[in-house]
Amino acid sequence: MALPVEEWRLCAARRWAALEPALRERLAAASLHDTLRLGCSLLRPEAEAAALRRLCRRARAGKEPAAARFYREEGNRLFGRRHYAALWSPQAASHELPGSPEVSVCFANRSAALFHLGHFEVCLEDIARAESHGYPDRLLPKVLLRKVECLLCLGRLQDAADALSVVENKIAMDGVMTSPTHQTLLKRLSQLRIKIHERESCPEPAQEVCGDIQRKSEIWEENDSISGASSSLSLNFDIERGRHLVASQDILPGQSLLKEEAFVSVLCPGESHLLQDGSETAWDTRVTNADLYCHRCLRQLLASVPCHGCSYAKYCSQNCADVAWEQYHRTECSLGALLLTLGVFCHVALRTVLLAGFAEVSRLVEWSHDGDKDLHNPEARCKHLGEAPYTRAGTRGIPGCNDNGQYQSSYQAVFNLLPHAEKHSPEHKFLCMLSVVAICKQLQEAGLEAAVLNRESSEKWSKSKTCEKTLGELSPELKTMAEAMLRHVLQLQCNAQAITVMQESGSGDGTVVNKKPVRLATAFFPVLSLLNHSCCPNISVSFSGTAATVRASQPIPSGQEIFHCYGPHRCRMRVAERQQLLSQYFFECHCQACLDELESDVKSVVSMRNSFCCPSCRAPMQVGEDMLCCPNEACAISVSRESLSHRLRDLQRQIQKALELLRDRKADQAIKMLLKCQMDAGNFLSPEHLLMGEMEDHLAQVYATLGKWQEAARHLERSIEIVEMHHGPSSVEIGHELFKLAQILFNGFAVSEALSTIQRAEEILSVHCGPQSTQIQELQEMKTCLLELPRSILQRT
């Protein structure tokens, strides 16, 4: 959720409507500095602030022992039913109060699930956490024996023997034990001692590492004026396109152009963190991305380390937790409910100024006041740049560049991204202003001002400043921070970059992994933000944690601009839809794809292939205002647009029901329903319609769960034909589909077909995702496995 919750947006809208017309006019025309000066007192304690406090009660960010009990009991219930993956969920440990014995129990319970799932290294980490948090002494032997088993499974025989000695000493100190539980422990201890002795007597031969596949090294020469960029790029400026990147030499497909670490990123929360009105005690068992990924580095979590102050923030390691605390979370921790209510953009804005530090924020805000008039008119501010030659001296004056003409991934570069303050609606600007003021007032009331301003003592700072401000008024320093935050919230509408991750979806049986991109976090990438939009881009962007890598997706000749796609793509939307969505970026797209569709009679790819067809002769229906007509005079059939749209919606509902049947492991019923949907769709959709391809894909998925690999491959190949018509033979979409086909052919033992599919998938995905990507590694492992088969088998297939 990028923007605040709807109730807060409505509250801000009512406050705006109630202002005097003259004040509304002044706010609408004001600079960011004057907007804060005029608006700071408009957040009334008894009205807007009180409403915001009520809304914050719906956000679950604090530690609640009752919630911890609920999640612990739910985890134990699922563990008893052998649903081990359920204990990955970190809610129980996150809600336990620091220092409570229950925290150690949570870690010990989770270690049991991790052991059964085969994650031995992570299991050992949780056992160490359980011990360090004071796991009950009487229960410790069982957990320590699990530690011995983990070490054995990892081949660490000496460590296992040492750990076993610790358990033996522990049991000996406890004296005579005759209970069945103790007898079971002694029996297990004896078994492990024998196993260690056997392994020491007959060491297993060293195994060849299957994953030791030769990786292609990427050619990379750093750009000396653009941080993280390849030397094949140059930074240019003109009035029409603003700052943009251009190829300074010919670029090949798959060539890396940019590797940039996000200046700031914030994980997108799941909907389960916001309760509906009246849901006071309904604990949510759904697991969202906020539970599955580290809140600092975005690594996937197996055993999270919870924040000691709130239930929301979770980390992959104690180091990540400590670094996050030092850099920003000590300030954010108590504001969790407020930040969840005000949305990700406000959270990114706060974290941006915390990472930058008050001194740098203050310097740049004061600098912006000197050029406030020009900041409202960036074209005038940079007009002289459009006339300057493209030399190192010319780049020195480009906004965001330092005195040496270098554009670095720094706070200065973030600050110089355009906020388009004059183009946002006055109502939206007012909402953003009220929101950042609410955050800064909460910081002040919570005594966190010193931490925000990087002062040594909160108590000393708050006492010295008490006489300088009236009750409820922001200090001058916090007003400076609020102004920068307002700038960043406005910038994010045009400059926010979604960090995506390929997540598994489908039946979950593990035979065929169906992956799709999912938005994981929102971030500022100052260099990546230099790329202008095209509905037919020439690059692909992939992510690893908080790092973005940009690669050429096609040949780019020297002198051509580097184009990113902001979302609306020619293969996914008609030109009218694209132009409407792009209006949020405050420009009208004039890329070649849009010009081709707007200035000629050529229909878009989407219009031609996602069309309705005549139920009689299957010819594409001609589009009218309200009616669609068959162009074949022999048919003369006409159907209302509304009727066909209703039929399409009904078809989509039936497909969803079929997928629900698949999730409930009713594969035969799912097949019957999908085949019926296919038959119905053939009567009114064109054969190339994307929905026809999706149904083929779903059928392939169902047959794969049944182990019917030939049928699965046949349906997926039909799906690939349709995807290729829409996206092209070398698109990343085709790469993902071929990856699935490779898995099906591999599982079906179709060796020659699998090898040729793997090769084609590798060629495409290495261009878009790079040779180090997870999918490429999996493809190489499949290929190695197939090539190591006996020659007699290879010859038969």
Side-chain angles (χ1 to χ4, degrees), residues 638-674:
S638 61
V639 188
S640 72
R641 181 191 297 276
E642 181 56 37
S643 170
L644 288 171
S645 297
H646 176 77
R647 197 169 172 182
L648 180 61
R649 289 192 296 271
D650 185 60
L651 177 66
Q652 290 167 329
R653 282 193 292 270
Q654 293 301 311
I655 292 170
Q656 287 306 311
K657 287 181 181 178
L659 295 178
E660 287 170 18
L661 288 170
L662 176 60
R663 283 190 287 272
D664 294 338
R665 301 188 181 279
K666 299 175 181 177
D668 291 335
Q669 294 179 44
I671 289 171
K672 286 180 183 177
M673 185 168 280
L674 283 169

Side-chain angles (χ1 to χ4, degrees), residues 308-370:
H308 58 75
C310 68
S311 65
Y312 179 64
K314 304 166 189 75
Y315 304 97
C316 63
S317 64
Q318 192 59 51
N319 179 63
C320 257
D322 293 342
V323 172
W325 184 262
E326 288 301 317
Q327 289 184 339
Y328 51 80
H329 194 63
R330 71 165 68 241
T331 305
E332 295 178 355
C333 187
S334 62
L335 272 64
L338 179 63
L339 295 172
L340 286 169
T341 302
L342 294 180
V344 171
F345 280 6
C346 281
H347 197 163
V348 173
L350 172 62
R351 190 171 292 180
T352 301
V353 297
L354 292 175
L355 287 168
F358 177 70
E360 182 69 354
V361 171
S362 177
R363 180 183 74 82
L364 287 167
V365 167
E366 287 178 20
W367 168 82
S368 73
H369 294 166
D370 296 335

Side-chain angles (χ1 to χ4, degrees), residues 33-80:
H33 175 68
D34 290 339
T35 298
L36 258 299
R37 184 177 56 80
L38 291 167
C40 251
S41 61
L42 298 177
L43 183 77
R44 299 170 297 183
E46 74 287 355
E48 292 78 34
L52 194 52
R53 281 194 298 273
R54 286 195 298 274
L55 290 171
C56 287
R57 293 192 198 109
R58 293 166 43 187
R60 289 251 155 95
K63 290 190 179 290
E64 303 175 66
R69 267 194 311 278
F70 169 82
Y71 288 121
R72 199 165 55 246
E73 289 168 4
E74 181 70 8
N76 290 338
R77 183 180 68 81
L78 292 169
F79 185 83

Side-chain angles (χ1 to χ4, degrees), residues 174-301:
D174 289 343
V176 179
M177 298 178 293
T178 58
S179 71
T181 302
H182 290 145
Q183 291 301 313
T184 302
L185 282 175
L186 289 171
K187 183 179 178 182
R188 186 66 191 135
L189 188 148
S190 178
Q191 291 171 341
L192 288 171
R193 191 187 300 114
I194 293 169
K195 192 177 286 188
I196 291 173
H197 179 70
E198 288 174 349
R199 293 279 293 274
E200 286 174 336
S201 303
C202 304
E204 294 181 3
Q207 293 183 345
E208 291 184 16
V209 181
C210 297
D212 188 20
I213 297 166
Q214 184 124 24
R215 295 186 184 179
K216 299 175 185 176
S217 59
E218 296 188 71
I219 299 170
W220 180 261
E221 187 179 338
E222 188 84 22
N223 194 303
D224 60 357
S225 60
I226 310 166
S227 69
S230 158
S231 59
S232 59
L233 301 181
S234 62
L235 173 59
N236 289 1
F237 177 89
D238 63 43
I239 294 172
E240 183 184 345
R241 292 176 292 177
R243 294 171 296 180
H244 57 281
L245 296 179
V246 172
S248 57
Q249 61 188 54
D250 291 344
I251 294 169
L252 298 173
Q255 191 173 325
S256 291
L257 304 180
L258 173 65
K259 298 173 184 176
E260 183 180 16
E261 190 72 31
F263 179 82
V264 61
S265 64
V266 170
L267 193 68
C268 296
E271 292 300 319
S272 64
H273 291 282
L274 291 174
L275 297 176
Q276 298 301 314
D277 290 329
S279 303
E280 294 296 326
T281 57
W283 311 115
D284 200 325
T285 55
R286 288 176 297 173
V287 176
T288 69
N289 283 341
D291 303 309
L292 296 175
Y293 293 87
C294 177
H295 285 223
R296 177 177 172 266
C297 71
L298 303 184
R299 280 180 58 191
Q300 192 163 4
L301 297 174

